Amino acid sequence: MTSLKKVTISGIRSYEPNRFETIEFNDGVQIIHGHNGSGKTSMLESLKWCLTGQFPPNTQNGKTFVSDPRLKQGLPKIMGCVETVLRDQTGGTEYYIKRTLNLTIKKDTKTGDIKQTLSTDAPWARKLNTKTQQEIVLVNQKNRKKAESDQTILDLTGVNKSMLDYVVFCHQEDSDWPLAENKILKDRIDTIFAIDKFTKQMDFYIKLVKNRESEANIQRMKVEHTRERYQQW
């Protein structure tokens, strides 16, 4: 499992475009505080988007996740960027993960309506050995499909997607799920702890033991048959 070292954000909601804000994290418990609208929730949502590729709820698939160009005079196009740095438990390896997206506004010359166009770039990730400074590119814009890239990045965290969705980055609007009905609660807990994988693994070992026992019985029958023939001889 990895831990969070720092996150750099630009052009996301209240974070100004063309200006990179970096937040560094220490070991242990972190307390994030600030006035309303200062970017606390946006920081957490940026982290989740960077690590999973999922936009926050009610953002029109990311269009309202980026700073609104209409509020930035002279900027018809805004690039949102989030870079997250993870480190392994030994501190000898760091993982740099970066996602970018662009929001462009155009005014229809005939109707005067404002149209927004959102484009999302492929994620990028690299591995850094902090001792030798050797870098290895894990994900770039050419070598993987988006689903494969998202899964590769998710694997770097050391936890499954349900753990991130329902525990680590659980949105405040959905934070009451532990009070849900029993069936919903059970399903959530099962996915968090990957019970289905455990069950499949148990079924595999049960079947394996039965097959080995069957093979052992066959071998015992062969031995008995050989012994009887030897005694008759």
Side-chain angles (χ1 to χ4, degrees):
M1 181 182 296
T2 55
S3 60
L4 182 62
K5 181 179 180 181
K6 66 180 178 180
V7 59
T8 301
I9 306 172
S10 174
I12 301 295
R13 287 186 171 167
S14 60
Y15 291 89
E16 287 289 329
N18 302 323
R19 178 181 175 183
F20 294 89
E21 300 284 350
T22 300
I23 304 166
E24 297 187 2
F25 299 88
N26 300 319
D27 295 332
V29 178
Q30 311 293 316
I31 299 177
I32 302 172
H33 65 90
H35 298 292
N36 291 339
S38 60
K40 302 184 299 297
T41 302
S42 297
M43 184 200 66
L44 295 176
E45 291 175 342
S46 298
L47 279 170
K48 182 178 180 181
W49 172 62
C50 187
L51 296 177
T52 66
Q54 284 184 314
F55 289 115
N58 305 319
T59 59
Q60 301 180 24
N61 292 324
K63 288 184 177 180
T64 61
F65 187 53
V66 192
S67 295
D68 195 334
R70 292 171 294 183
L71 302 178
K72 314 294 181 183
Q73 296 181 355
L75 292 177
K77 179 179 179 180
I78 286 184
M79 182 184 74
C81 176
V82 179
E83 183 177 41
T84 302
V85 181
L86 305 176
R87 56 189 168 195
D88 66 357
Q89 294 180 343
T90 64
T93 304
E94 294 180 351
Y95 301 97
Y96 290 75
I97 304 155
K98 183 179 181 179
R99 291 183 189 265
T100 57
L101 69 167
N102 298 277
L103 183 64
T104 305
I105 60 171
K106 292 183 179 180
K107 186 175 182 179
D108 193 311
T109 56
K110 296 182 179 180
T111 63
D113 296 335
I114 300 296
K115 295 184 178 180
Q116 294 183 337
T117 303
L118 180 72
S119 61
T120 304
D121 299 327
W124 177 82
R126 62 187 173 95
K127 176 182 178 182
L128 173 67
N129 186 314
T130 58
K131 296 181 179 178
T132 63
Q133 297 301 308
Q134 180 183 8
E135 293 186 5
I136 300 176
V137 176
L138 303 176
V139 176
N140 59 32
Q141 297 181 359
K142 298 180 180 180
N143 65 357
R144 291 178 183 271
K145 297 180 179 179
K146 182 180 183 303
E148 296 175 349
S149 299
D150 290 344
Q151 185 59 50
T152 300
I153 293 173
L154 182 62
D155 291 341
L156 298 179
T157 66
V159 296
N160 59 31
K161 185 174 178 296
S162 296
M163 178 68 76
L164 294 179
D165 287 342
Y166 303 136
V167 181
V168 180
F169 296 121
C170 183
H171 199 272
Q172 57 189 8
E173 297 178 359
D174 303 320
S175 59
D176 61 344
W177 68 262
L179 304 177
E181 298 178 359
N182 291 338
K183 184 180 184 305
I184 297 177
L185 182 61
K186 180 181 181 302
D187 291 342
R188 290 277 176 95
I189 293 178
D190 286 349
T191 56
I192 289 173
F193 292 100
I195 299 299
D196 58 333
K197 293 183 179 180
F198 174 78
T199 303
K200 290 180 181 179
Q201 200 67 22
M202 287 298 298
D203 291 341
F204 170 79
Y205 284 119
I206 291 173
K207 184 177 180 180
L208 180 63
V209 170
K210 288 183 178 180
N211 290 337
R212 293 294 173 84
E213 289 178 347
S214 178
E215 293 175 0
N217 290 332
I218 293 174
Q219 293 300 324
R220 279 195 292 269
M221 292 175 63
K222 289 182 178 180
V223 170
E224 290 295 330
H225 180 68
T226 303
R227 182 183 294 114
E228 291 177 359
R229 292 185 59 185
Y230 175 77
Q231 290 175 351
Q232 291 176 0
W233 181 79

